[in-house]
Amino acid sequence: MTEALRAEWTKLRTLPGTGWLLIGVVVLTVAVSAAVAAATHQSSGTGEDPTKLSLAGIYLGQAVVAVLAVLTISEEYGTGMIRVTLTAIPRRLVLLAAKAANVAGLTLVAGVLAVAGCLLAGSLMLPAAGLDPAHGYALVSISHGPTVRAAIGSVLYLVLIALLSLGVATAIRDTAASIGAVLGLLYLPPILAEAVTDPLRRHLQQIAPMTAGLAIQTTTNLRSLPIAPWAGLGVLAAWAVASLIIGGLLLRLRDA
């Protein structure tokens, strides 16, 4: 396993797009959060969630994470390099585990930087927009327990999105189809949920990977959520595990 981890790390870090995609995760996530904070103007308490607003960039940053994870394996199928990889590492589940560990580690680092940048932007910009204690809002601060939970959960969310995407790409193999499938799985259910009424809408929100997973960012009015924050992240974890299991089985059963 150690040799597989080292080999996959060498392969991943030497790909020309890896560094740019990781930078893209951080820059896009922080930029979107800063734009949301800049566009927010609130003079009285009306139920806004400053922490969730600060982490709004995760909504788009996850797409770059998905692309990074998909390319981790789909590019090898596209170039035929997967045959060489399987010759060097014939134990296919070990190979997948090594890829998962590496992409999860890189996403973890990028996620920590992105979330820290988002919270910094929120803490600096939202009070000027009226989201401050004088108007009934808690400051965005790591001394605030719910904010810490939302920050940690957001990093874990990005890691789980990476693992989900890796599993999907392992099963589908094609880069474009895999990216389309992951983005559809993330962004289509919320649209469908808005087209139906309760209780079906609530059930869709409870089982959809993005809406369930992003519940971890909410720090106010928790009773209005369709699913509790940690339970929602658990739903996303179940999606990620299921995709890796399916991808692993297909990797083991099919020819390269």
Side-chain angles (χ1 to χ4, degrees):
M1 183 63 183
T2 302
E3 292 180 356
L5 284 169
R6 187 182 299 113
E8 289 305 313
W9 165 244
T10 301
K11 191 186 304 177
L12 187 58
R13 70 180 176 82
T14 54
L15 287 174
T18 300
W20 289 111
L21 286 170
L22 290 172
I23 293 171
V25 171
V26 178
V27 172
L28 178 63
T29 302
V30 176
V32 171
S33 289
V36 170
T40 300
H41 299 284
Q42 193 72 33
S43 59
S44 61
T46 58
E48 294 287 357
D49 187 336
T51 298
K52 189 171 183 178
L53 285 174
S54 298
L55 295 170
I58 299 292
Y59 187 84
L60 288 181
Q62 65 180 335
V64 185
V65 169
V67 172
L68 171 65
V70 165
L71 292 176
T72 301
I73 191 166
S74 66
E75 279 293 282
E76 292 196 50
Y77 279 107
T79 61
M81 186 68 183
I82 190 67
R83 297 183 182 88
V84 178
T85 299
L86 292 175
T87 300
I89 310 174
R91 297 172 62 186
R92 299 188 177 198
L93 296 184
V94 170
L95 170 64
L96 181 59
K99 286 184 179 294
N102 277 291
V103 76
L106 288 176
T107 304
L108 179 66
V109 173
V112 168
L113 294 175
V115 168
C118 289
L119 293 181
L120 178 61
S123 66
L124 294 175
M125 301 175 72
L126 289 179
L131 274 69
D132 55 14
H135 295 93
Y137 295 100
L139 292 174
V140 178
S141 169
I142 57 173
S143 64
H144 184 229
T147 298
V148 174
R149 182 256 297 157
I152 294 173
S154 294
V155 174
L156 294 176
Y157 175 89
L158 290 175
V159 172
L160 291 172
I161 290 296
L163 295 177
L164 169 64
S165 304
L166 177 63
V168 171
T170 305
I172 296 178
R173 298 184 174 185
D174 180 76
T175 298
S178 297
I179 293 173
V182 172
L183 296 184
L185 184 60
L186 293 177
Y187 294 110
L188 283 181
I191 297 174
L192 294 175
E194 292 301 315
V196 298
T197 58
D198 288 329
L200 180 57
R201 174 187 298 171
R202 189 175 183 87
H203 292 327
L204 281 174
Q205 292 171 336
Q206 289 171 336
I207 64 174
M210 185 173 74
T211 52
L214 287 181
I216 196 67
Q217 295 182 343
T218 304
T219 63
T220 62
N221 300 319
L222 297 184
R223 292 185 178 181
S224 65
L225 292 174
I227 190 169
W230 286 114
L233 200 65
V235 170
L236 176 58
W239 277 96
V241 170
S243 73
L244 286 172
I245 290 175
I246 294 172
L249 288 175
L250 292 175
L251 178 65
R252 188 173 184 181
L253 294 174
R254 295 186 304 198
D255 294 332

